[in-house]
């Protein structure tokens, strides 16, 4: 049982119970940390050796360090130097508790899986995915849980180039429940300053809207979540925005 019902979603032990690694796991983690430091992987790199992110490691990281590690992970991915993940070992190491460093809001696009393109492992980040990476009450609630209850320190909203949801919003597509979702992107279409052709066929415009959509979504998160805004103003978390380029494989952090 966990200390609160919200915390019970995280673990199967009391939240107040000290968590300590057994000797074998500790030695593994120590060796992994040394190796990670040697190879410049950062803390996320420790999962290369089968260990999941520990509470002590996560708590020692600043939001800026977490963002820096995400950037390093993307560099490894786009240069073909990914960490050799042992997912089964990560699953076992994280089975009794999770200490993710960030919560990511990204699109459902099959070409933009956040963990893969930033070379992250099991237990490293929460990942909310919805077409067009828009915020809604459920997404905000998930982020509040991730940061306030579970201790994540970064809220990352990540859009991507050639986004079908953005194209749909530009074209004002009407289709079942998709209509309402695309309406949430419409403010970004309207707010995008662009001198050229404002159509879904112009990918420069599509990508400009996607970037504006990330900016507006971060603003909406601040406006609509007093919980997250308070954590941010107190320095406990940092909000960041990024665009993933499906052609170059680069994640560009621009906020
Ligand atoms: Zn998309």
């Amino acid at each position: 049982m966990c200390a609160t019902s919200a915390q019970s979603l995280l673990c199967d032990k009391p939240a107040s119970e000290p968590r300590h690694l057994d000797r074998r796991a500790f030695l593994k983690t120590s060796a992994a940390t040394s190796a990670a430091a040697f190879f410049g992987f950062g803390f996320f790199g420790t999962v290369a050796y089968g260990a999941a992110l520990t509470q002590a490691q996560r708590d020692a990281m600043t939001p800026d360090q977490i963002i820096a590690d995400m950037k390093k992970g993307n560099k490894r991915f786009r240069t073909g130097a990914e960490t050799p993940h042992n997912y089964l070992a990560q699953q076992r190491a994280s089975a009794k508790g999770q200490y993710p460093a960030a919560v990511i809001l990204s699109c459902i696009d099959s070409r933009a899986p956040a963990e893969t393109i930033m070379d992250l492992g099991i237990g490293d980040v929460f990942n909310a995915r919805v077409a067009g990476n828009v915020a809604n009450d459920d997404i905000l609630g998930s982020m509040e849980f991730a940061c306030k209850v579970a201790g994540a320190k970064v809220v990352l909203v990540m859009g991507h180039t050639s986004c079908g949801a953005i194209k749909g919003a530009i074209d004002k597509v009407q289709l079942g429940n998709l209509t309402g979702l695309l309406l949430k992107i419409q403010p970004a279409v309207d707010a995008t300053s662009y001198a050229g052709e404002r159509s879904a066929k112009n990918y420069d415009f599509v990508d400009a809207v996607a970037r504006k959509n990330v900016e507006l979504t971060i603003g909406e998160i601040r406006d609509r979540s007093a919980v997250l805004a308070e954590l941010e103003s107190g320095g406990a978390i940092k909000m960041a925005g990024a665009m993933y380029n499906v052609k170059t494989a680069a994640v560009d952090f621009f906020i």
Side-chain angles (χ1 to χ4, degrees):
M1 292 261 320
C2 290
T4 69
S5 56
Q7 285 171 329
S8 71
L9 295 171
L10 280 171
C11 62
D12 58 4
K13 286 182 176 179
S16 57
E17 180 180 312
R19 295 185 177 85
H20 46 81
L21 300 166
D22 64 38
R23 182 169 172 74
R24 191 163 42 168
F26 174 76
L27 289 173
K28 266 189 194 172
T29 305
S30 297
T33 303
S34 302
F38 180 78
F39 289 110
F41 286 166
F43 280 105
F44 285 147
T46 59
V47 296
Y49 302 88
L53 201 58
T54 67
Q55 183 170 20
Q57 287 172 335
R58 191 273 309 277
D59 291 351
M61 298 169 83
T62 67
D64 285 336
Q65 286 173 331
I66 292 163
I67 291 170
D69 270 2
M70 288 176 167
K71 290 178 180 175
K72 284 182 197 166
N74 174 247
K75 187 175 183 184
R76 291 195 301 274
F77 167 71
R78 69 174 188 266
T79 56
E82 301 98 326
T83 307
H85 292 277
N86 183 337
Y87 289 118
L88 194 57
Q90 290 171 15
Q91 170 266 321
R92 288 172 181 151
S94 61
K96 289 186 177 175
Q98 58 171 336
Y99 310 100
V103 54
I104 300 172
L105 170 58
S106 60
C107 183
I108 62 167
D109 195 293
S110 66
R111 301 164 297 177
E115 283 94 338
T116 304
I117 64 176
M118 289 190 282
D119 196 22
L120 302 169
I122 292 174
D124 283 348
V125 293
F126 291 102
N127 189 1
R129 297 182 70 170
V130 61
N133 39 275
V134 294
N136 61 30
D137 289 351
D138 301 322
I139 294 286
L140 292 173
S142 300
M143 289 178 162
E144 288 168 359
F145 168 76
C147 296
K148 186 75 178 181
V149 182
K153 296 180 175 180
V154 169
V155 173
L156 174 65
V157 179
M158 185 173 71
H160 67 96
T161 60
S162 307
C163 181
I166 300 292
K167 292 181 205 167
I170 293 169
D171 283 344
K172 295 185 168 57
V173 167
Q174 306 256 318
L175 174 68
N177 291 288
L178 180 60
T179 304
L181 191 158
L182 297 182
L183 280 175
K184 293 186 168 72
I185 302 174
Q186 196 60 48
V189 179
D190 299 337
T192 300
S193 301
Y194 191 81
E197 181 188 341
R198 297 175 66 90
S199 92
K201 290 176 185 155
N202 180 358
Y203 277 35
D204 277 348
F205 179 60
V206 172
D207 296 347
V209 174
R211 191 180 171 105
K212 177 60 71 176
N213 185 50
V214 169
E215 292 174 16
L216 295 186
T217 300
I218 290 175
E220 190 175 357
I221 292 167
R222 289 190 177 112
D223 289 346
R224 292 179 56 193
S225 172
V227 172
L228 294 173
E230 187 182 336
L231 287 173
E232 185 186 34
S233 63
I237 68 167
K238 191 161 191 172
M239 296 198 198
M243 279 286 288
Y244 174 61
N245 188 312
V246 298
K247 286 184 182 162
T248 67
V251 177
D252 172 28
F253 284 75
F254 63 94
I255 296 176

